């Protein structure tokens, strides 16, 4: 048994030793230990180095608020976690833990020279010290600072663990299973509510676990705890340990993160590591207790200095003595009880320093009986010891005068600056916090959520008060849900009540400029830093926080916020509520990305839509690209071909003979009903009334602001039925827009809209031989040039499959798009490939489709337009039905700015050197020699190498471009600036002769 | 996550089923071509940007697909009521924020 463990004591299993390693050394703890309690049992206080000064640090707390004892934990490849709180990580067999922010070692750390340079590292030193030269910031200062300062290292490998997500509904969620939470859950469950009780620790009980001497309802605290948990289980209460309520969201939704396997020696193969719960509760009781405040004095951060309540927890819960010779310094009664318990366990209490002049007589009596020397009206002004505290310097304070100090030897120093109600979740609800002048702390005010705060979170102290309040909260929750509930406030004997005073820095006789009196341990912020920040003009606590970093990082100021506020307010000469409090935001404690991502990772992060022809494409070596949520065949390389070679071959083959393209992803909407043509007239710019059934038209859709939203070929199948196609990415948007107008502006129209995107598989045949491939497969339709001219649509059978056949072209070649029910898509494709074999039919992908359309100057909405482009800008003025009285966006086309000169217009661009391919997005200038910043007159929207034309082509939006045809502009690109001539957009077959086959 | 009552489904459902659709009760002019530039500008771009109760449109996009109207308090993010599209703009509920 280790020197600091008391045999048989605590809630750990003394018969179950657990081996683990810390910084490569092997240690033994007990089942039920945390890493911190096991290290303390081995006499190890030094657990880490601080953020900025690399000062040696040990555990200050025994809970989730721990700022110092942050460790890296590992369970093999990919399972490394930085910044784990040693005070929360349960011991498991074989746990590998390491300290952080030290080199070469924890005991001797070269970074500790920062501590000697303390006067240099004042508040805001980043802003002051690294001003010059500017270029040094990126290359020298920042990398060096980042390497030297900081917390744990980020894991570098993918996380192999699984994380689960669950929903839960409850009548009542109780957060915190201390005395108040237990009483609330019991009262509500007895009234018949469905109750869930959660606690972040490995077992329930909260403060009761650290105060076994209290007697509740006639039973010792731990017996009462066991009996109460049994009763809750019997009443059907869901009890969840190791579960942190991380955030309180709208309408009583609480996020819980449950740690499922981190405490297990060997996790089951299929168990998730963590589980995120989204709980919707009719009522919530927040019983999160209070967090003990450190005191602020020089050297208050040495290993061995810790909160008095933490020492009490290590003693009772883990059977661990945090030292043999303890000094105590307190501003609150509660530390007396810690001192008494430690004394009763055999610890020598070297001194008990009370900052108050007149501590309660009853406590002084008890101290005297135990032979503890109490120094009331005293201050602590310094500590000594390098890797562990060795002595504390104690001074008498009278009328504000600090007398000379004397050193008292000790191996640990227990401090208590009072208690801060834990109101983080309450604050997430936007609940108001009210400054309580008497208690010198913030207490919960009003909230709009259906929420009760109970117990120490409300500033109550003592088990009787807290249990009664929890019971009342449970009754109130039940009443609010219409359940009669009888209160049963538990009777308490041997209660531990008390109060204290709130302080700033402890008074000292030493020069404040040299004092290392830490307010925020994790960020190495001292009282001096905060006072300096205020003197330098930071008037609000939010400014002080950003300037000094107090309250940041993994503990989010759980220990430091109130001390920081008191010091800032004192410097400003204002009351604390006038200085404010920083905003609490979720999560309450650091939460893994894995838990938040849950199942949404890898292929489950975003869905991948695949067409019925996708398997064929994959089988035939397609390279894919994501388009909206689809994966589309990008190009079909043959052996040895790169992308450019494959695309050139596909383009040439299509223009020379015939190509085949999977167009299934195009959005498709059926517009049906007696008023369908009126609806189309109002939605699209084009006139539809005279479009005969069996004919199609290019449709242009604007927003009400007059800018291009979408386009596509639209076929009229019958008087009352249109087959609308949209861009691949615009399908859902267009349907939403149509539904919006139909439902809310024109509900009188008898029209029905149906998304049919996934109902149809679409193969596009393009090329001079397209008809020769298709014709033998078609039944029930004459597709000769005269009988089925360009822009026709008809129903027929293709390869025996019922089809909607369009004759249209997005390539400038003779083209057909064959729509068949999706389940027949693969059959259709194979039939077309077989029929096309004699013509060397060439499957092509989206890249070739883009090149072929650009050669013809056809736009891609969203690439050649960007939400600021009108039909006239895009050269599509011909698509506007000028005789129509109204359509969506029509009125905007005559707004002053829409007709003003200087608009950017879509034009073609040909580089002077044929083989230069401009970068899409490149800016365009008129004069390349003008001083910086240059005046940019437009940008390149599309740019390709055209195998057909034997040169590069591009499209661009250029100011007044339509009237600048033939002029030369300049395109600066990395390396050099290129000259290019403005042209029309139709680079190939501008008269459309090839469509007339 | 908010809970939203769909007045068509008559069910209160999670926010994830719904999509926001801008301010409510901004009717498209019956004859847009008869509006002045200023009137049309206001219709297109000028919104209340209310602090407090805000009349706004939502769509039960992953449910019945219907657009409907709501009054939501932009300070508390509470829905005060929802109602069907086309219904007249209701007065504010008398006991706003009360249980």
């Amino acid at each position: 048994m280790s020197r600091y463990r008391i045999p048989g004591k605590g809630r750990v299993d003394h018969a179950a030793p657990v081996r683990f390693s810390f910084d490569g050394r092997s240690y033994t703890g007990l089942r039920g230990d945390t890493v911190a309690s096991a290290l303390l049992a081995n006499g190890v206080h030094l657990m880490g180095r601080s953020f900025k000064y690399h000062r040696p640090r040990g555990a200050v707390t025994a809970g989730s608020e721990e700022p110092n004892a942050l460790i890296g934990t590992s369970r093999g490849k990919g399972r490394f976690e930085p910044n784990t709180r040693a005070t929360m990580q349960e011991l498991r067999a074989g746990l590998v833990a390491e300290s952080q922010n030290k080199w070469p070692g924890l005991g001797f750390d070269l970074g500790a020279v920062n501590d000697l340079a303390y006067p240099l590292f004042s508040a805001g030193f980043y802003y002051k010290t690294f001003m010059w030269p500017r270029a040094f910031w990126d290359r020298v200062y920042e990398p060096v600072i980042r390497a030297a300062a900081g917390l744990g290292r980020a894991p570098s490998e993918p996380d192999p663990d699984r994380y689960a997500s669950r929903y839960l509904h409850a009548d009542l969620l109780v957060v915190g299973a201390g005395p108040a939470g237990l009483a609330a859950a019991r009262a509500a469950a007895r009234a018949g509510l469905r109750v869930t009780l959660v606690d972040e620790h490995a077992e329930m009980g909260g403060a009761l676990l650290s105060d076994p001497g209290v007697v509740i309802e006639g039973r010792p605290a731990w017996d009462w705890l066991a009996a109460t948990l049994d009763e809750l289980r019997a009443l059907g209460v869901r009890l969840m340990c190791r579960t942190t309520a991380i955030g309180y969201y709208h309408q009583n939704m609480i996020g819980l993160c449950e740690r499922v396997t981190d405490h297990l020696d060997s996790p089951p193969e299929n168990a998730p590591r963590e589980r995120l719960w989204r709980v919707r509760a009719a009522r919530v009781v927040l019983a999160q207790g209070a967090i003990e405040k450190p005191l602020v004095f020089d050297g208050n951060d040495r290993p061995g200095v810790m909160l008095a309540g933490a020492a009490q927890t290590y003693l009772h819960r883990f059977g661990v003595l945090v030292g043999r010779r303890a000094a105590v310094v307190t501003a609150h009664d509660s530390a007396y009880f810690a001192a008494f318990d430690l004394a009763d366990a055999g610890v020598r209490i070297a001194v008990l320093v009370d900052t108050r002049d007149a501590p309660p007589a009853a406590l002084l009596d008890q101290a005297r009986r135990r032979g503890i020397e109490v120094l009331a009206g005293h201050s602590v002004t310094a500590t000594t010891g390098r890797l562990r505290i060795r002595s504390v310097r104690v001074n008498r304070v009278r009328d504000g005068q600090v007398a000379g100090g004397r050193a008292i030897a000790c191996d640990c120093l227990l401090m208590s600056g009072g208690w801060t109600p834990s109101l983080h979740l309450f604050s997430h609800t936007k609940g108001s916090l009210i400054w309580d002048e008497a208690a010198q702390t913030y207490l919960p005010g009003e909230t709009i959520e259906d929420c009760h705060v109970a117990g120490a979170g409300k500033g109550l102290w003592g088990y009787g008060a807290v249990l009664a309040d929890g019971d009342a909260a449970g009754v109130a929750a039940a009443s609010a849900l219409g359940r009669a509930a009888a209160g049963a406030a538990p009777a308490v004997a041997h209660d531990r009540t008390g109060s204290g005073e709130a302080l700033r820095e402890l008074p000292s006789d030493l020069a404040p400029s040299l004092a290392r009196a830490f307010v925020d341990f994790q960020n190495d912020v001292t009282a001096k830093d905060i006072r300096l920040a205020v003197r330098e003009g930071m008037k609000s606590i939010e400014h002080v926080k950003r300037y000094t970093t107090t309250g940041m990082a993994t503990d989010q100021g759980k220990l430091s916020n109130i001390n920081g506020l008191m010091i800032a307010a004192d410097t400003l000469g204002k009351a604390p509520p006038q200085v404010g409090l920083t905003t609490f935001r979720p999560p309450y404690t650091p939460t893994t990305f894995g838990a938040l991502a849950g199942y949404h990772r890898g292929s489950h992060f975003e869905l991948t839509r695949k067409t019925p022809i996708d398997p064929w494409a994959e089988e035939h070596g397609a390279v894919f690209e994501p388009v909206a949520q689809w994966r589309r065949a990008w190009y079909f390389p043959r052996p040895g071909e790169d992308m450019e070679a494959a695309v050139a071959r596909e383009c040439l083959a299509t223009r020379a003979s015939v190509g085949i393209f999977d167009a299934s992803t195009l959005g498709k909407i059926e517009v049906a009903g007696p008023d369908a043509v009126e609806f189309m007239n109002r939605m699209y710019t084009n006139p539809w009334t005279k479009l005969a059934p069996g004919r199609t038209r290019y449709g242009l859709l604007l927003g009400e602001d007059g800018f291009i939203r979408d386009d596509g070929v639209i076929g009229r199948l019958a008087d009352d039925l249109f087959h609308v196609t949209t861009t691949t990415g615009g399908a859902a948007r267009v349907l939403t827009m149509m539904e919006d107008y139909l439902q809310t502006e024109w509900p009188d129209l008898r029209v029905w809209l149906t998304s049919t995107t996934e109902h149809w598989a679409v193969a596009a045949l393009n090329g001079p031989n397209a008809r020769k491939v298709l014709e033998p497969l078609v039944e029930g339709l004459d597709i000769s040039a005269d009988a089925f001219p360009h822009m026709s649509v008809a129903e027929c059978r293709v390869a025996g499959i019922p089809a909607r056949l369009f004759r249209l072209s997005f390539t400038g070649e003779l083209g057909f798009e064959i729509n068949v029910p999706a389940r027949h898509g693969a059959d259709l494709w194979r039939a077309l490939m077989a029929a096309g074999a004699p013509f060397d039919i060439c499957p092509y992908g989206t890249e070739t489709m883009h090149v072929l359309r650009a050669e013809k100057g056809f736009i891609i909405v969203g690439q050649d337009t960007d939400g600021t482009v009108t039909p006239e800008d895009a050269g599509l003025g011909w698509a506007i039905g000028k005789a129509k009285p109204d359509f969506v966006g029509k009125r905007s086309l005559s707004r002053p700015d829409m007709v003003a000169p200087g608009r950017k217009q879509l034009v073609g661009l040909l580089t002077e050197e044929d083989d230069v391919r401009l970068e899409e997005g490149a800016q365009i200038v008129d004069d390349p020699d003008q001083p910086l910043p240059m005046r940019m007159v437009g940008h390149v929207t599309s740019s390709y190498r055209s195998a057909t034309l034997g040169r590069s082509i591009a499209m661009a939006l250029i100011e007044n471009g339509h009237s600048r045809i033939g002029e030369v502009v300049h395109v600066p690109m990395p390396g050099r600036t290129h000259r290019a001539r403005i042209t029309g957009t139709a680079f190939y077959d501008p008269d459309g002769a090839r469509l007339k086959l | 996550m908010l809970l939203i009552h769909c007045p068509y489904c008559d069910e209160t459902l999670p926010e994830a089923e719904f999509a926001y659709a801008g301010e409510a009760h901004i009717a498209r002019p019956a004859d847009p071509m008869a509006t002045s530039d200023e009137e049309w500008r206001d219709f297109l771009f000028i919104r209340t940007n209310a602090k407090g109760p805000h009349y706004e449109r939502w769509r039960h996009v992953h449910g019945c697909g219907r657009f409907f109207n709501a009054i939501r308090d932009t300070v508390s993010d509470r829905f005060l009521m929802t109602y069907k599209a086309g219904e007249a703009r209701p007065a504010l509920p008398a006991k706003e924020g009360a249980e």
Side-chain angles (χ1 to χ4, degrees):
Chain A
M1 188 54 63
S2 63
R3 291 182 300 146
Y4 294 93
R5 183 90 66 182
I6 304 170
K9 192 167 176 69
R11 300 180 69 88
V12 288
D13 184 350
H14 289 262
V18 177
R19 295 198 62 78
F20 70 106
S21 79
F22 178 65
D23 278 346
R25 265 194 69 181
S26 183
Y27 295 94
T28 302
L30 297 178
R31 182 71 60 198
D33 261 331
T34 62
V35 172
S37 70
L39 287 172
L40 291 170
N42 284 280
V44 176
H45 272 261
L46 177 62
M47 296 186 199
R49 287 275 176 172
S50 74
F51 181 74
K52 195 157 77 175
Y53 302 121
H54 291 246
R55 286 169 68 94
R57 291 281 169 82
V60 194
T61 75
S64 64
E65 67 273 30
E66 175 60 35
N68 281 344
L70 304 183
I71 55 173
T73 60
S74 171
R75 201 194 307 250
K77 192 174 161 66
R79 291 188 165 94
F80 173 81
E81 183 182 88
N83 302 331
T84 306
R85 288 146 298 162
T87 52
M88 291 301 285
Q89 174 63 50
E90 291 169 64
L91 212 54
R92 62 178 186 238
L95 174 74
V96 178
E98 62 179 52
S99 61
Q100 300 184 158
N101 204 30
K102 84 301 181 173
W103 188 85
L106 192 55
F108 175 73
D109 173 15
L110 281 177
V113 296
N114 283 4
D115 195 33
L116 302 175
Y118 169 67
L120 294 180
F121 291 90
S122 61
F125 83 99
Y126 291 103
Y127 313 118
K128 297 168 184 166
T129 311
F130 303 106
M131 296 283 287
W132 184 91
R134 170 65 187 85
F136 267 42
W137 178 255
D138 295 333
R139 284 185 282 123
V140 183
Y141 298 142
E142 188 178 358
V144 169
I145 291 168
R146 284 202 186 281
L151 300 165
R153 61 187 169 89
S156 56
E157 286 163 338
D159 183 347
D161 281 319
R162 297 188 320 114
Y163 296 82
S165 299
R166 295 278 291 274
Y167 286 90
L168 183 67
H169 293 265
D171 294 331
L172 174 65
L173 174 70
V174 180
V175 179
L182 290 165
R186 189 177 74 170
R190 282 177 177 173
L193 268 57
R194 287 177 307 148
V195 179
T196 295
L197 174 62
V198 303
D199 196 280
E200 63 180 342
H201 283 275
E203 64 173 327
M204 300 202 156
L208 294 176
L209 301 174
S210 309
D211 258 334
V214 175
V215 174
I216 306 168
E217 291 174 338
R219 301 183 201 202
W222 290 2
D223 291 349
W224 182 86
L225 172 61
T228 302
L229 291 173
D230 282 346
E231 182 185 348
L232 293 179
R233 270 184 218 105
L235 287 167
V237 173
R238 181 190 286 265
L239 301 173
M240 299 172 71
C241 290
R242 303 186 176 91
T243 302
T244 305
I246 57 172
Y248 197 136
Y249 306 92
H250 287 302
Q251 284 168 289
N252 273 17
M253 172 171 271
I254 287 85
L256 307 176
C257 184
E258 180 185 9
R259 301 184 300 282
V260 181
T261 61
D262 271 4
H263 64 291
L264 299 176
D265 292 348
S266 41
E269 189 63 29
N270 292 318
R273 179 177 172 227
E274 293 177 338
R275 192 179 282 131
L276 188 78
W277 295 80
R278 291 175 179 86
V279 183
R280 186 78 71 172
R283 310 293 298 186
V284 172
V285 170
L286 297 175
Q288 296 180 280
I291 295 174
E292 196 167 17
K293 264 185 300 183
L295 288 166
V296 182
F297 52 89
D298 182 31
N300 63 345
D301 66 325
R302 284 186 211 288
V305 182
M306 67 164 58
L307 293 166
Q312 192 179 329
T313 295
Y314 286 116
L315 171 66
H316 289 299
R317 218 178 128 187
F318 303 102
V320 171
L321 298 176
V322 297
R324 290 280 176 199
R325 185 184 164 85
V328 181
V329 54
T330 186
H332 194 274
D333 297 342
S334 64
Y336 284 77
F337 297 110
F340 299 160
D341 288 358
L342 263 67
D344 294 348
V347 176
R348 167 85 195 277
I349 304 296
V351 65
L352 195 161
V353 177
D354 196 322
T355 61
R356 302 169 295 179
D357 289 328
L363 294 176
L364 294 176
D365 272 354
Q366 287 197 52
R368 200 171 304 121
R369 258 185 279 136
R370 289 178 172 89
I372 298 173
E373 180 191 10
V374 176
L375 298 177
H378 275 63
S379 179
V380 164
T381 53
T383 61
T384 65
R386 196 172 77 86
L387 301 179
R388 175 83 181 263
I389 187 169
R390 296 167 64 93
S391 77
V392 54
R393 186 167 177 270
V394 175
N395 306 50
R396 173 154 195 169
V397 183
R398 175 170 287 175
D399 302 328
Q401 296 297 313
V402 182
R406 66 165 161 129
I408 298 173
C410 61
D411 65 356
C412 63
L413 172 59
L414 314 182
M415 58 181 168
S416 179
W419 298 77
T420 306
S422 186
L423 293 170
H424 301 69
L425 260 67
F426 180 79
S427 296
H428 297 173
T429 72
K430 293 189 185 170
S432 60
L433 298 179
I434 316 269
W435 179 256
D436 187 283
E437 192 57 36
Q440 292 283 294
T441 193
Y442 281 102
L443 295 178
E446 296 294 314
T447 176
I448 59 162
E449 299 292 350
D450 297 325
C451 158
H452 316 258
V453 180
K458 244 159 83 175
L460 298 174
W461 203 249
Y463 288 96
V466 161
L467 284 161
D469 193 51
D471 182 68
V475 169
S479 308
L481 298 180
R483 302 290 186 97
V492 175
H494 302 289
D495 200 353
R496 289 178 155 183
T497 60
S499 63
E501 66 173 353
L503 298 169
R504 301 166 196 101
E505 309 97 310
L506 294 189
S508 176
D509 57 333
L510 303 176
S513 61
L514 292 176
R516 257 79 139 211
F518 285 92
V519 173
D520 187 316
F521 295 113
Q522 192 162 92
N523 289 294
D524 271 351
V525 179
T526 62
K528 187 189 91 171
D529 292 327
I530 292 176
R531 292 197 182 275
L532 180 64
V534 171
R535 284 201 303 277
E536 292 185 351
M538 308 300 143
K539 299 273 186 263
S540 138
I541 199 68
E542 296 284 3
H543 294 149
V544 171
K545 172 176 176 173
R546 280 150 189 78
Y547 199 57
T548 64
T549 71
T550 187
M552 294 188 184
T554 72
D555 65 340
Q556 288 288 294
K558 288 188 177 66
L559 298 187
S560 63
N561 274 349
I562 296 295
N563 280 335
L565 172 63
M566 297 296 281
I567 292 167
D570 182 57
T571 315
L572 282 163
K574 288 182 177 176
Q578 290 176 277
V579 182
L581 187 64
T582 53
T583 308
F584 297 110
R585 294 189 180 87
Y588 176 65
T589 51
T591 306
T592 62
F593 284 115
L596 297 173
Y599 304 117
H600 303 285
R601 57 188 293 181
S603 61
H604 293 274
F605 179 69
E606 187 176 48
L607 64 89
T608 301
R609 301 170 79 185
K610 295 178 183 176
T611 74
I613 297 153
D614 181 275
W616 186 95
E618 183 167 318
E619 202 180 309
H620 289 79
V623 176
F624 292 94
E625 68 164 341
V627 180
Q629 286 178 318
W630 293 95
R631 88 166 189 167
R632 300 193 72 180
W634 195 8
Y635 55 97
F636 290 84
R638 288 182 178 166
E641 277 184 343
D642 60 8
M643 177 167 163
E644 188 174 325
V647 170
R649 172 181 51 74
E650 292 170 14
C651 287
L652 293 172
T654 302
R655 296 233 183 268
S657 176
V658 63
I660 183 168
F661 174 67
D662 179 4
S664 304
T665 65
L666 278 187
K668 293 172 275 290
I669 300 167
E670 276 201 5
V671 178
D675 296 320
V677 70
E678 175 62 20
F679 180 74
M680 291 301 295
N681 277 333
R682 294 187 195 182
M683 290 302 303
Y684 279 79
T685 63
N686 322 65
W688 300 96
T689 308
K690 290 180 182 163
L691 185 73
R695 297 294 296 164
T696 70
R697 179 163 285 165
Y698 170 80
L700 190 62
L701 183 71
L702 308 183
E704 203 68 272
D705 54 14
F707 298 125
I708 294 173
R709 287 289 193 282
D710 204 81
D711 68 351
V713 170
I714 294 166
R716 189 169 193 177
L717 296 167
D719 281 338
D720 60 356
L721 180 62
F722 288 84
H723 178 117
V724 174
T725 67
T726 74
T727 58
T728 293
R733 271 199 306 276
V734 172
L735 182 63
T736 295
M737 185 174 163
M738 287 182 173
E739 281 287 352
D740 193 349
Y741 278 90
L742 184 59
Q743 289 183 32
T744 67
E745 297 292 351
W746 311 315
D748 53 310
L749 292 185
R750 292 161 300 162
V751 174
W752 291 270
L753 306 170
T754 308
S755 168
T756 56
T757 301
E758 297 191 349
H759 298 194
W760 299 103
V762 186
L765 279 181
N766 280 277
N769 289 323
R771 185 183 291 111
K772 290 177 196 158
V773 173
L774 181 61
E775 208 155 28
L777 300 177
V778 175
E779 299 166 65
L781 185 68
D782 177 0
I783 63 165
S784 65
D786 292 339
F788 196 63
H790 186 55
M791 302 304 271
S792 294
V793 62
E795 295 191 324
C796 61
R797 295 181 86 83
V798 176
I801 305 163
R804 277 183 189 171
L805 180 63
F806 286 74
R807 181 173 168 193
L808 57 83
S809 177
F810 197 43
T811 61
E813 303 296 331
L814 170 65
F816 297 92
E817 287 190 1
I818 307 117
N819 291 247
V820 297
R823 66 184 182 280
H824 297 302
D827 290 341
L828 172 74
W829 187 271
R830 277 190 290 268
L832 291 167
M833 286 302 295
F839 303 94
D840 293 327
I841 190 168
C842 176
Y844 64 89
T846 50
E847 188 65 19
T848 291
M849 178 269 283
H850 275 100
V851 176
L852 296 176
R853 66 90 200 175
E855 289 170 349
K856 288 292 295 176
F858 297 148
I859 66 162
I860 301 268
V861 172
Q863 176 166 343
D864 302 299
T865 71
D866 61 2
T868 67
V869 177
T870 68
E872 289 292 346
D873 297 341
L876 297 171
W878 55 266
I880 292 174
K882 296 192 174 55
K884 291 201 296 182
D886 188 19
F887 56 81
V888 173
K890 178 179 168 76
R891 174 64 183 84
S892 290
L893 297 179
S894 55
R895 294 184 67 233
D897 281 354
M898 305 294 255
V899 294
R903 294 195 61 79
K904 287 183 182 170
Q905 295 166 330
L906 191 69
V907 293
L909 267 191
L910 289 175
T911 50
E912 289 200 342
E913 291 159 83
D914 288 355
D915 57 343
V916 169
R917 192 171 82 81
L918 299 173
E919 285 192 25
E920 291 175 353
Q923 295 292 331
I924 296 166
V925 300
D926 283 332
D927 173 11
D929 300 321
Q930 63 186 297
L932 297 174
M934 293 191 185
R935 193 181 121 64
M936 297 174 286
V937 298
H939 67 275
V940 177
T941 62
S942 290
S943 179
Y944 306 96
R945 162 116 203 116
S946 165
T948 307
L949 300 169
R951 59 155 301 137
S952 67
I953 57 170
M955 291 158 79
L957 283 165
I958 297 182
E959 282 178 18
N960 298 316
H962 291 164
S963 58
R964 298 188 61 189
I965 305 293
E967 293 183 26
V968 170
V969 290
H970 301 265
V971 186
M973 293 212 313
R976 54 173 289 214
T977 297
H978 300 283
R979 289 166 59 88
R981 189 163 39 82
I982 299 176
T983 69
T985 53
F987 299 102
Y988 180 69
D989 187 28
D991 301 326
R994 299 178 67 85
L995 291 173
K996 298 186 180 106
L997 287 172
Chain B
M1 189 189 294
L2 299 170
L3 291 172
I4 301 174
H5 183 259
C6 173
Y8 293 96
C9 299
D10 198 19
E11 281 195 82
T12 300
L13 298 160
E15 181 186 348
E17 293 194 16
F18 298 84
Y20 180 70
E23 186 169 353
H25 300 294
I26 298 176
R28 188 173 189 271
D31 181 3
M33 298 309 286
T35 60
S36 69
D37 283 340
E38 289 70 28
E39 288 166 340
W40 187 250
R41 173 202 64 200
D42 289 355
F43 163 71
L44 285 179
F45 303 122
I46 305 303
R47 297 295 180 265
T48 308
N49 196 23
K51 180 179 181 181
H54 184 235
Y55 292 74
E56 59 193 26
R57 305 181 330 130
W58 285 78
R59 186 181 183 208
H60 192 188
V61 62
H62 298 299
C64 65
R66 301 296 296 266
F67 286 84
F68 59 90
N69 292 333
I71 310 175
R72 181 179 58 97
D73 188 316
T74 60
V75 176
S76 67
D77 223 357
R78 281 254 151 157
F79 278 81
L80 306 181
M81 67 177 294
T82 59
Y83 53 101
K84 291 179 180 176
E87 289 180 10
R89 178 190 174 101
L92 283 178
K95 292 174 72 182
E96 188 224 320
E99 287 190 0

